[in-house]
């Protein structure tokens, strides 16, 4: 990886791990010497106290993660056979050794590698690009459809519900992100489904926008791009349309039943914003009053916001916003942005002996707890949108939560995920969990699955043929500027021999999550994220035996002796060539 001013980490495909990342405020966060200077650079607060910043170190050697037990057994056996000796004595040669190959093309920093890539692209017929910007797509939808070919009127008000999609770890594309990402976006998906089922959802005075940001781990790539597009009229919703902002942080590791409400102390120095935030907190408390599994708590106003997408919006405009999290101060998650942030980390476990289908539908305690948080969120969004009549009837479905957790954290290739995807995306589902690293080739598998899960949970099944679904302009009263139409595989029939495909109409869409720094070619920007990933050709390793220094020296001397001897022999043979190699006489003419 490379950042604007930092060094380029040599190998995104092979990096080691501890419990990761001493996290305070990222480059693109809100707190700086000019805004909340007392909170900038972790002066007052450190969110991940168990972290050590190892993930941002530059290592001059590759570090590989081997997940195949057979491969690790081969290495261990070689070590035991040749490198271990009895009674603690020095091991005897030959010794087992391993060589790692992981050549990265990018060097120095993002500025350098992007400049080199640009030069290659400008003057070479077959350019060799050395690095790529981290990029993907944000997933977003609206409770009520809007015309995406234009922008909303200034008087139109929208309540934003946001969370992040991505995580990371020390190793490339190994990012399970159970607590740091999955639990929160699964909760938001369940809340979106619950709110969509409200009888008066289509007639609420204000609209609700659900956003799932990509690349937030790397200096808020997704949220900074959405803010940039809003400011420049490239997104249907503008900053001035935002009425309030509710974000889900880490929510799966609550102590007791507490869910903490984090706000920004600096923006609340404005009395208008202070009153709006107070009203927002009161609405959340009222919404949680009828949910026995959740107790909402306020925090001291002198505490800064935790790492959150809300920070990017506050940099552009004073927004009344709150971040809901399971921690009041430092993270409860001991494996923040680690390969160990898995299903087990948030207590998602299943009884032994069950089939995969039974595990898919088994409602875990974690699913029940997150469904409670989703219910609070859905009811709060309903109130914030101006609803009142059906607040107590809004209820998130624990079965939805448990199926989402199973699919994202345990086994993506399951019957429900298969039924909600397009036929051509079947290969995106593996037998293990999905990974949540943003990457450079997009959309990633997780982004597609979240988009289609959102579409199926909040959309409507339409009586359209496949051709009509792919081109709804043929159908009266259908409008692709208002809706997104998707032909999905559908569930298996009663005989489980064929699928029942159908068309889903929803407002779930994708929006580019590429840092504005690369749009503007400001590769050294301190305003926007400038993370890039180096390109590489081959990552491999080989295992072999090495001899002792004495044997190597003897081998060298013998080889040198043979070389000298061969040179002498060659010289002698060449000197006596006229004697050793007599040229045969030309045959004379013969007469008869």
């Amino acid at each position: 990886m490379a950042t604007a001013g930092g060094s380029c980490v040599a190998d995104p495909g092979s990096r080691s791990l501890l419990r990761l990342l001493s996290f305070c405020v990222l480059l693109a966060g809100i707190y700086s010497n000019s805004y909340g200077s007392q909170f900038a650079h972790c002066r007052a607060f450190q969110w991940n106290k168990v972290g050590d910043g190892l993930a941002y170190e530059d290592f001059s050697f590759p570090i590989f993660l081997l997940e195949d037990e057979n491969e690790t057994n081969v290495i261990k056996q070689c070590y035991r056979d040749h490198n271990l000796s009895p009674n603690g004595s020095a091991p005897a040669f030959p010794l087992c050794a391993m060589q790692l190959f992981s050549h990265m093309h990018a060097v120095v920093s993002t500025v350098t590698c992007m400049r080199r890539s640009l030069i290659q692209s400008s003057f070479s017929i077959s350019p060799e690009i050395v690095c790529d910007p981290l990029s993907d797509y944000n997933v977003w939808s609206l409770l009520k459809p809007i015309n995406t070919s234009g922008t909303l009127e200034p008087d139109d008000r929208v309540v934003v519900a946001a969370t992040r999609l991505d995580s990371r770890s020390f190793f490339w594309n190994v990012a399970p992100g159970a607590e740091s990402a999955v639990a929160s976006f699964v909760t938001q998906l369940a809340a979106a489904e619950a709110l969509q089922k409200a009888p008066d959802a289509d007639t609420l005075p204000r609209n609700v926008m659900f956003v799932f940001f990509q690349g937030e781990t790397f200096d808020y790539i997704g949220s900074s791009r959405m803010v940039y597009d809003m400011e420049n009229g490239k997104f249907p919703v503008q900053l001035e349309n935002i009425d309030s902002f509710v974000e889900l942080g880490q929510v799966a590791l609550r102590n007791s039943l507490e869910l903490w409400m984090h706000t920004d102390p600096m923006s609340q120095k404005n009395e208008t914003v202070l009153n709006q935030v107070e009203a927002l907190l009161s609405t959340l408390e009222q919404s949680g009053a009828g949910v026995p599994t959740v107790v909402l708590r306020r925090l001291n106003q002198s505490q800064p916001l935790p790492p959150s997408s809300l920070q990017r919006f506050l940099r552009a405009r004073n927004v009344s916003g709150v971040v809901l999290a399971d921690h009041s101060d430092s993270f409860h998650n001991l494996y923040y942005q680690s390969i160990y942030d898995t299903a087990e980390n948030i207590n998602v476990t299943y009884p032994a002996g069950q089939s995969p289908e039974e595990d898919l539908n088994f409602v875990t305690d974690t699913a029940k707890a997150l469904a409670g948080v989703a219910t609070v969120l859905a009811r709060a969004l309903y109130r914030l949108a101006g609803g009142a009549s059906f607040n107590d009837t809004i209820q998130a479905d624990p079965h939805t939560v448990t199926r989402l957790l199973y699919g994202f954290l345990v086994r993506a290739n399951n019957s429900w995920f298969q039924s909600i995807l397009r036929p051509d995306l079947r290969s995106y589902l593996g037998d293990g969990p999905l990974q949540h690293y943003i990457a450079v080739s997009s959309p990633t598998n997780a982004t597609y699955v979240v988009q289609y899960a959102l579409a199926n949970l909040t959309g409507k099944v339409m009586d359209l043929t496949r051709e009509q679904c792919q081109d709804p302009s043929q159908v009266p009263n259908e409008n692709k500027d208002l809706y997104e139409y998707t032909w999905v595989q559908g569930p298996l029939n009663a005989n489980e021999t064929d699928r029942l495909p159908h068309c889903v109409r929803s407002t779930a869409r994708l929006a580019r999550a590429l840092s504005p720094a690369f749009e503007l070619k400001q590769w050294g920007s301190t305003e926007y994220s400038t993370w890039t990933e180096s390109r590489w050709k081959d990552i491999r390793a080989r295992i072999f035996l090495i001899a002792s220094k004495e044997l190597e020296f003897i081998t060298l001397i013998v080889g040198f002796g043979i070389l000298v001897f061969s040179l002498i022999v060659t010289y002698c043979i060449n000197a006596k060539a006229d004697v050793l190699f007599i040229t045969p006489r030309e045959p004379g003419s013969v007469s008869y």
Side-chain angles (χ1 to χ4, degrees), residues 185-347:
F185 73 67
V186 162
T187 302
Q188 183 157 297
L189 285 168
E193 179 191 36
L195 182 59
Q196 194 73 48
K197 291 178 179 178
D200 57 345
D202 292 336
T203 59
L204 294 174
R206 289 178 283 278
N207 211 337
V208 178
M209 182 170 75
F210 294 94
V211 189
F212 301 80
F213 290 115
Q214 264 286 13
E216 297 303 273
T217 301
F218 297 97
D219 293 334
Y220 308 118
I221 293 173
S223 55
S224 63
R225 177 53 184 265
M226 182 166 284
V227 170
Y228 174 80
D229 287 344
M230 286 179 170
E231 290 177 322
N232 291 277
K234 298 179 180 179
F235 193 77
V237 179
Q238 304 298 290
L239 285 172
E240 56 266 27
N241 297 128
I242 297 177
D243 183 79
S244 52
F245 194 106
V246 182
E247 180 173 354
L248 285 180
Q250 301 178 70
V251 293
L253 295 176
R254 287 184 290 148
N255 286 339
S256 300
L257 306 175
E258 294 174 331
L259 188 65
W260 296 90
M261 299 182 289
H262 297 259
T263 58
D264 172 45
M266 302 305 298
S267 60
Q268 292 180 70
K269 292 181 178 181
N270 181 306
E271 188 174 353
T272 302
V273 176
L274 176 63
N275 293 334
Q276 291 173 343
V277 171
E278 179 62 33
L280 176 57
L281 297 179
S282 297
T283 300
L284 281 162
E285 288 171 336
Q286 293 167 15
S287 302
V291 183
T293 58
V294 180
V295 177
L296 287 155
R297 300 290 191 197
R298 296 195 184 204
L299 285 162
N300 192 316
Q301 287 191 1
S302 63
Q303 185 170 306
L305 280 171
S308 53
S309 306
L310 175 58
Q311 293 194 29
R312 279 306 308 186
F313 284 80
L314 286 169
R315 285 185 66 162
R317 184 183 179 89
N318 270 346
V319 177
S320 61
V322 62
V323 178
L324 302 177
D326 56 20
H327 53 89
S328 59
D329 41 47
S330 59
F331 296 159
H332 292 167
N333 185 8
L334 297 179
Y335 301 109
Y336 181 70
Q337 295 183 355
S338 159
I339 61 171
Y340 300 115
D341 190 10
T342 59
E344 291 77 12
N345 187 38
I346 61 171
N347 303 313

Side-chain angles (χ1 to χ4, degrees), residues 283-565:
T283 300
L284 281 162
E285 288 171 336
Q286 293 167 15
S287 302
V291 183
T293 58
V294 180
V295 177
L296 287 155
R297 300 290 191 197
R298 296 195 184 204
L299 285 162
N300 192 316
Q301 287 191 1
S302 63
Q303 185 170 306
L305 280 171
S308 53
S309 306
L310 175 58
Q311 293 194 29
R312 279 306 308 186
F313 284 80
L314 286 169
R315 285 185 66 162
R317 184 183 179 89
N318 270 346
V319 177
S320 61
V322 62
V323 178
L324 302 177
D326 56 20
H327 53 89
S328 59
D329 41 47
S330 59
F331 296 159
H332 292 167
N333 185 8
L334 297 179
Y335 301 109
Y336 181 70
Q337 295 183 355
S338 159
I339 61 171
Y340 300 115
D341 190 10
T342 59
E344 291 77 12
N345 187 38
I346 61 171
N347 303 313
V348 175
T349 57
Y350 302 91
Q354 289 191 159
S355 67
E357 195 65 23
E358 289 172 329
D359 285 346
L360 172 65
N361 294 291
F362 178 78
V363 180
T364 63
D365 291 339
T366 300
K368 294 174 185 177
L370 293 179
V373 177
T375 298
V376 172
L377 176 61
R379 291 181 180 182
L381 294 173
Y382 178 77
R383 287 175 180 267
L384 292 169
S389 304
F390 301 97
N391 184 71
D392 294 337
T393 64
I394 295 174
Q395 189 77 37
D397 186 358
H399 288 89
T400 296
V401 177
T402 205
R403 288 191 295 179
L404 288 166
L405 288 174
Y406 180 82
F408 284 108
L409 295 177
V410 180
R411 184 184 176 91
N413 191 16
N414 61 73
S415 60
W416 189 57
F417 273 12
Q418 290 170 0
S419 69
I420 65 174
L421 289 181
R422 292 196 323 245
D424 60 304
L425 298 179
R426 284 177 297 183
S427 60
Y428 281 46
L429 302 177
D431 289 333
L434 288 169
Q435 302 301 324
H436 303 282
Y437 171 64
I438 178 175
V440 296
S441 56
S442 55
T444 60
N445 300 13
T447 300
Y448 266 132
V449 175
V450 169
Q451 181 196 7
Y452 283 91
L454 181 61
N456 281 266
L457 292 172
T458 62
K460 181 180 179 182
V461 176
M462 305 298 294
D463 186 19
L464 300 176
T465 65
R466 182 169 186 165
E467 292 71 23
Q468 290 173 329
C469 191
Q470 293 172 342
D471 185 13
S473 60
Q474 305 173 11
V475 185
N477 302 321
E478 297 296 341
N479 189 337
K480 200 154 188 176
D481 289 334
L482 294 177
Y483 296 102
E484 195 77 6
Y485 297 81
T486 309
W487 187 259
V488 299
Q489 292 191 103
L492 292 169
N493 60 16
N495 297 327
E496 297 189 355
T497 55
D498 295 305
R499 293 195 171 272
L500 304 172
H502 54 264
C503 183
V504 175
R505 187 185 73 180
S506 72
T507 60
R509 300 175 185 273
L510 299 178
R512 198 79 170 97
L514 171 68
S515 172
F518 299 102
E519 293 278 316
L520 302 170
K521 290 185 170 56
Q522 296 175 358
W523 304 319
S525 172
T526 56
E527 172 68 17
Y528 298 112
S529 168
T530 56
W531 285 91
T532 57
E533 180 184 282
S534 174
R535 289 196 179 185
W536 66 90
K537 285 186 178 179
D538 191 21
I539 294 178
R540 57 191 175 89
R542 63 170 182 159
I543 190 169
F544 54 93
L545 298 178
I546 56 174
S548 66
K549 296 294 183 183
E550 292 79 7
L551 180 58
E552 289 179 343
F553 182 74
I554 293 171
T555 304
L556 175 64
I557 295 301
V558 171
F560 183 75
I562 293 173
L563 173 64
V564 172
F565 177 75

